[in-house]
Amino acid sequence: MSFPNTTKAPRADFPDLRKHNNCMASALTPGIYARLRDKTTPNNWTLDQCIQTGVDNPGHPFIKTVGMVAGDEETYEVFAELFDPVIKDRHNGYDPRTMKHPTDLDITSGFFDERYVLSSRVRTGRSIRGLSLPPACTRSERREVERVVVTALAGLKGDLTGRYYSLGDMSEREQQQLIDEHFLFDKPVSPLLTAAGMARDWPDARGIWHNNEKNFLIWINEEDHTRVISMEKGGNMKRVFERFCRGLKQVERLIQERGWEFMWNERLGYILTCPSNLGTGLRAGVHIRLPLLSKDARFKKILDNLRLQKRGTGGVDTAATGDTFDISNLDRLGKSEVELVQLVIDGVNYLIECEKRLERGQDIKIPSPVPQFRK
Amino acid sequence: CAKNTQPTGTPPFEEEFPDLSKHNNHMAKVLSKEVYGKLRDKQTPSGYTLDDVIQTGVDNPGHPFIMTVGCVAGDEESYEVFKDLLDPVISDRHGGYKPTDKHKTDLNHENLKGGDDLDPNYVLSSRVRTGRSIKGFTLPPHNSRGERRIIERLSIEALNSLDGEFKGKYYPLKTMTDAEQEQLIADHFLFDKPVSPLLTCAGMARDWPDGRGIWHNENKTFLVWVNEEDHLRVISMQKGGNMREVFRRFCVGLQKIEEIFKKHDHGFMWNEHLGYILTCPSNLGTGLRGGVHVKLPKLSTHPKFEEILTRLRLQKRGTGGVDTASVGGVFDISNADRLGSSEVEQVQLVVDGVKLMVEMEKKLEKGESIDSMIPAQK
């Protein structure tokens, strides 16, 4: 019996996904695998590298993870045959082949009743064009991302003036301070991230920047090149979003002055590591107390129709404590930043109305579903 | 479009050099900027690079007390292409072993003297393990699903052809029933998906449990792990102190398996300098760990215990294996060496050393001194 070198044939390498429940496993066929297996991006990133995290993490019957990541901007083009259906699946039918994603960072309204809303927050991510993404980047590329971003942030002025704390060089006292403020991020332990290679070389070139007022914060080289966060206590989402947009625009201008730019295209919006964060990469949300509404049987349906999701106050995959929830937009791609934040504002106001009505013993209504993409 | 994109051509190696200032492992001690610069652009024929070799050591700074290796091989050629790093690591780890040294292989169990009379009142069990890599395939940090599956198929074919005392059955991790899994756990045979970051950062847990499995004979005295940290881990074990029998079965079983692989032109990776080629440089040479679980409650608290072990060229572990603590005065005692001495020599050290330590234990039980029994450095 001989064993010819059939290991090179794509069929020999096709992963066993029979016990898997993630978007990649739903979309990947032997035909697609065979056609894409031998392609590489200009940085030599391969299909196997894209899907490794989804092969290693079969998923959960209730939570459908994405199961693949991009190693660089070109990933989304070279492996479009797999990424496009995954994107469509994850982003509620958004078809990258035919649709365009709108970007809009100029809002006008948004103030919540602070008897219910404890804090407001908007986050997104940005990638630096020309450098590989966290699953694929070399140490020198990661250090370059840090240099480019930290240099730009040093140019911020006024209420955005701040400073950078490198994870590797941080003192014990600084570390404790950042933990107490809920700013510090840790080396990823989730196998979804580690199997995608995002924790390599930790903590080299990782760090946190925040302004002196502590309401504008940037994570460098965690799951994306940058994560940008604007937040404050209370219900002034308008001010949070205004600062978010202003800060983002200034950072963009500062990197452009030195010849860099963010990864973006009109098919997919802002390019980030995980396909789930394409488009705006934006999660706008509040911590809100809804003691009566959260116990109402219609709560979930109301959220669904408002295109909102609830999380625990520890963030993704945590449980709510008491009656306080993290409520944020579900969608990322196919609607602009302004549209999504407006949606959160309108939706949260609706939830507060419901809570007040229930307090007064009045009945509440499930709202009609918010329309999907603009035509 | 961006004007300041990465220039074509690689950045200078200083930009790429890892920050090892807080690291304590063999790789970090050896890897200088000069060595990094020299090796950074090389690749093995299968595409394994220096960065791949060292990733696990960069990601795991180590422990002040335990010196890990901090690098792995992705294929047989890694040990050649990256000699400038791996030779000094090997020398550090294996007691000064030089690039010009030759390693002796001796799997003739008849050359072992004694070993059949370790006192079973003290020696609870005896075990010998090693690893083997199949020539022509890349190693667990690097191999593709296709390669891993062929290694599994080849292994199953080889193992299923064994008979007599070696007749047995293969249990693939993927399709094991609950009942089979329970039994294998109860027998202490089942291995888990690696959680140690030393292994996961080296990519050895990819695609789990695809292509992984356990084979054992009906008597449950000969066991093979397929595609865990190495292509094959081969284990011979039994209760009690008859190390001679354990070693006989080990040698005979290994040789039968090797013959079958050779028939398919896929023998084991071996050369006369490094002996058997395995994933971790710490397992080169014989890859052999021969040991016992032995009750030494008095000796283990004696101030000279560590020194005795060192002189006997033995090491102690807890009964859960590497990085575990001893329970109830029972220790796992095994050979410390892997490279530069043969299988027979290493198992001889275990047999002689354990025999001596049991005698010491008995003396201490009687309240007598063991000072005259302390051995010279072997």
Side-chain angles (χ1 to χ4, degrees):
Chain A
M1 188 176 167
S2 75
F3 286 85
N5 205 350
T6 53
T7 53
K8 301 288 184 255
R11 199 164 44 87
D13 272 328
F14 189 74
D16 182 348
L17 301 172
R18 287 171 296 172
K19 293 190 179 134
H20 288 57
N21 181 42
N22 56 50
C23 298
M24 180 279 290
S26 298
L28 185 66
T29 64
I32 294 176
Y33 186 77
R35 285 189 290 279
L36 297 182
R37 203 279 300 262
D38 294 325
K39 291 185 191 269
T40 64
T41 68
N43 296 304
N44 285 318
W45 186 251
T46 64
L47 179 71
D48 281 331
Q49 286 170 307
C50 289
I51 67 173
Q52 190 67 57
T53 180
V55 176
D56 287 346
N57 295 290
H60 192 277
F62 304 155
I63 303 169
K64 196 166 187 184
T65 47
V66 175
M68 57 200 268
V69 292
D72 51 24
E73 191 167 6
E74 294 83 351
T75 298
Y76 288 103
E77 299 312 313
V78 173
F79 305 111
E81 195 182 349
L82 178 62
F83 275 84
D84 285 351
V86 165
I87 288 166
K88 197 166 177 197
D89 187 8
R90 179 60 178 215
H91 294 282
N92 304 291
Y94 181 87
D95 188 348
R97 288 179 246 241
T98 57
M99 294 161 76
K100 291 206 196 339
H101 169 80
T103 290
D104 181 3
L105 287 154
D106 288 304
I107 200 177
T108 51
S109 67
F111 197 104
F112 302 120
D113 188 332
E114 296 191 346
R115 284 174 296 169
Y116 302 89
V117 175
L118 308 176
S119 61
S120 307
R121 179 184 188 268
V122 179
R123 70 88 158 148
T124 189
R126 290 290 185 264
S127 309
I128 310 298
R129 176 162 280 160
L131 296 168
S132 304
L133 297 171
C137 64
T138 62
R139 280 181 292 275
S140 68
E141 287 185 292
R142 202 185 292 112
R143 291 163 180 171
E144 186 71 11
V145 168
E146 187 187 36
R147 260 199 304 276
V148 169
V149 176
V150 170
T151 306
L153 295 171
L156 292 175
K157 297 185 179 19
D159 69 320
L160 296 179
T161 311
R163 74 163 267 208
Y164 181 62
Y165 301 83
S166 143
L167 242 61
D169 299 337
M170 191 174 287
S171 70
E172 294 268 346
R173 211 165 48 84
E174 284 167 341
Q175 186 172 303
Q176 196 51 55
Q177 178 78 33
L178 289 165
I179 290 173
D180 294 338
E181 287 160 347
H182 306 289
F183 284 175
L184 190 63
F185 63 89
D186 260 325
K187 178 172 179 173
V189 293
S190 165
L192 299 176
L193 301 183
T194 55
M198 297 195 221
R200 287 172 304 127
D201 313 312
W202 203 272
D204 199 315
R206 272 80 168 196
I208 290 168
W209 180 99
H210 69 76
N211 65 348
N212 297 337
E213 320 225 343
K214 298 183 182 175
N215 52 26
F216 190 67
L217 164 71
I218 305 203
W219 289 354
I220 294 179
N221 285 319
E222 192 234 12
E223 186 185 329
D224 281 293
H225 284 172
T226 66
R227 284 289 179 94
V228 179
I229 301 152
S230 170
M231 61 205 239
E232 61 184 62
K233 292 232 179 289
N236 196 340
M237 180 61 93
K238 178 173 155 78
R239 187 164 63 204
V240 168
F241 188 57
E242 180 274 329
R243 184 171 54 245
F244 174 84
C245 297
R246 186 163 47 87
L248 265 177
K249 286 203 202 122
Q250 287 189 29
V251 172
E252 184 162 24
R253 188 178 46 79
L254 288 161
I255 66 168
Q256 281 170 342
E257 279 170 8
R258 287 173 179 77
W260 297 92
E261 55 186 25
F262 293 142
M263 290 183 197
W264 180 94
N265 68 51
E266 60 173 11
R267 208 170 68 92
L268 298 176
Y270 288 100
I271 302 295
L272 293 176
T273 305
C274 182
S276 71
N277 283 319
L278 290 167
T280 59
L282 185 140
R283 193 170 92 83
V286 297
H287 281 189
I288 181 169
R289 288 186 55 251
L290 297 169
L292 298 174
L293 180 59
S294 58
K295 293 183 189 57
D296 191 291
R298 294 163 286 188
F299 185 41
K300 182 158 192 335
K301 185 78 180 133
I302 293 173
L303 287 175
D304 285 349
N305 283 7
L306 293 173
R307 307 288 316 148
L308 296 176
Q309 71 172 190
K310 75 178 192 321
R311 297 182 181 191
T313 48
V316 69
D317 299 332
T318 66
T321 45
D323 314 309
T324 307
F325 292 85
D326 176 315
I327 303 284
S328 64
N329 53 298
L330 262 175
D331 303 317
R332 305 270 183 273
L333 175 63
K335 292 188 172 134
S336 74
E337 288 81 356
V338 168
E339 284 174 311
L340 291 176
V341 176
Q342 191 63 62
L343 209 137
V344 171
I345 289 168
D346 296 343
V348 169
N349 278 332
Y350 191 90
L351 297 175
I352 292 172
E353 253 323 292
C354 288
E355 183 72 19
K356 287 177 173 169
R357 289 179 72 85
L358 291 172
E359 280 171 16
R360 296 191 292 256
Q362 293 171 316
D363 197 20
I364 58 173
K365 264 192 352 202
I366 297 176
S368 17
V370 164
Q372 267 298 13
F373 312 113
R374 31 162 114 155
K375 294 285 169 250
Chain B
C1 75
K3 302 167 215 110
N4 221 1
T5 47
Q6 262 314 50
T8 46
T10 40
F13 72 83
E14 289 91 354
E15 278 304 298
E16 213 58 78
F17 190 74
D19 180 352
L20 301 173
S21 49
K22 297 191 180 126
H23 286 58
N24 183 45
N25 57 51
H26 288 296
M27 179 278 292
K29 291 215 147 14
V30 166
L31 188 68
S32 63
K33 286 199 170 147
E34 291 65 43
V35 171
Y36 187 80
K38 192 170 170 200
L39 298 180
R40 199 273 296 263
D41 293 324
K42 293 186 191 268
Q43 287 194 354
T44 67
S46 74
Y48 207 61
T49 65
L50 179 70
D51 283 332
D52 292 328
V53 170
I54 67 173
Q55 189 67 58
T56 179
V58 176
D59 288 345
N60 295 290
H63 191 276
F65 304 154
I66 301 169
M67 186 84 153
T68 47
V69 176
C71 53
V72 292
D75 49 24
E76 191 167 6
E77 295 82 351
S78 294
Y79 287 104
E80 205 34 58
V81 173
F82 304 112
K83 298 168 73 53
D84 289 331
L85 170 68
L86 294 176
D87 278 350
V89 166
I90 288 167
S91 176
D92 244 1
R93 180 64 175 209
H94 294 282
Y97 196 76
K98 298 192 290 296
T100 48
D101 283 336
K102 301 253 185 286
H103 170 81
K104 199 173 74 167
T105 292
D106 181 2
L107 282 158
N108 188 344
H109 60 93
E110 310 212 335
N111 290 339
L112 184 71
K113 299 191 199 25
D116 54 355
D117 60 351
L118 297 173
D119 189 339
N121 292 315
Y122 294 83
V123 178
L124 308 178
S125 61
S126 307
R127 178 183 189 267
V128 179
R129 69 87 158 150
T130 189
R132 290 290 186 265
S133 307
I134 316 299
K135 209 168 167 63
F137 298 99
T138 61
L139 298 172
H142 191 43
N143 57 15
S144 65
R145 282 180 291 272
E147 285 186 291
R148 207 185 290 115
R149 290 162 180 170
I150 292 200
I151 289 164
E152 186 188 33
R153 265 208 301 285
L154 275 169
S155 303
I156 293 172
E157 192 211 310
L159 296 166
N160 281 347
S161 71
L162 299 175
D163 63 4
E165 60 173 325
F166 295 107
K167 194 157 155 44
K169 183 180 162 179
Y170 183 69
Y171 302 86
L173 250 57
K174 232 195 307 186
T175 54
M176 200 174 277
T177 65
D178 281 344
E180 285 166 343
Q181 187 170 300
E182 287 298 321
Q183 185 64 50
L184 287 165
I185 290 173
D187 291 330
H188 305 289
F189 284 176
L190 190 63
F191 63 88
D192 261 322
K193 178 171 178 173
V195 293
S196 164
L198 300 177
L199 300 183
T200 55
C201 292
M204 297 194 222
R206 288 171 304 128
D207 314 312
W208 203 274
D210 199 316
R212 275 84 168 193
I214 290 168
W215 180 97
H216 69 76
N217 66 352
E218 284 168 8
N219 299 336
K220 297 185 182 176
T221 53
F222 192 74
L223 165 69
V224 178
W225 289 352
V226 178
N227 286 319
E228 193 235 10
E229 184 185 334
D230 282 295
H231 288 168
L232 302 175
R233 283 288 177 96
V234 179
I235 302 153
S236 170
M237 60 204 245
Q238 67 192 50
K239 292 231 178 290
N242 195 345
M243 180 61 95
R244 186 176 186 79
E245 173 61 13
V246 168
F247 189 55
R248 181 204 64 79
R249 190 169 47 245
F250 175 82
C251 294
V252 171
L254 259 180
Q255 278 158 341
K256 283 187 190 297
I257 295 170
E258 182 161 22
E259 268 158 39
I260 299 165
F261 277 103
K262 274 195 181 140
K263 269 210 295 251
H264 294 305
D265 293 324
H266 280 294
F268 296 146
M269 288 183 199
W270 179 94
N271 69 50
E272 63 172 7
H273 167 50
L274 295 177
Y276 288 100
I277 302 296
L278 293 176
T279 303
C280 181
S282 70
N283 282 320
L284 291 166
T286 61
L288 185 142
R289 193 171 91 83
V292 298
H293 281 187
V294 56
K295 284 197 274 202
L296 297 171
K298 291 199 157 18
L299 183 61
S300 58
T301 54
H302 191 285
K304 292 220 156 78
F305 185 46
E306 297 288 342
E307 193 185 333
I308 291 167
L309 286 171
T310 305
R311 289 184 183 203
L312 292 174
R313 311 199 63 78
L314 298 177
Q315 68 174 197
K316 72 179 198 305
R317 298 182 182 191
T319 48
V322 69
D323 299 330
T324 65
S326 129
V327 173
V330 180
F331 287 83
D332 177 315
I333 303 288
S334 63
N335 55 299
D337 304 320
R338 305 269 184 273
L339 179 61
S341 51
S342 74
E343 289 80 355
V344 167
E345 285 169 334
Q346 288 167 10
V347 175
Q348 193 70 64
L349 281 169
V350 174
V351 160
D352 296 345
V354 169
K355 192 161 185 185
L356 178 64
M357 290 197 293
V358 168
E359 276 162 31
M360 287 176 166
E361 181 72 20
K362 289 174 175 172
K363 275 246 189 248
L364 290 171
E365 277 171 18
K366 291 198 284 232
E368 293 168 15
S369 157
I370 55 167
D371 289 343
S372 59
M373 297 170 79
I374 310 272
Q377 178 67 55
K378 296 235 174 282

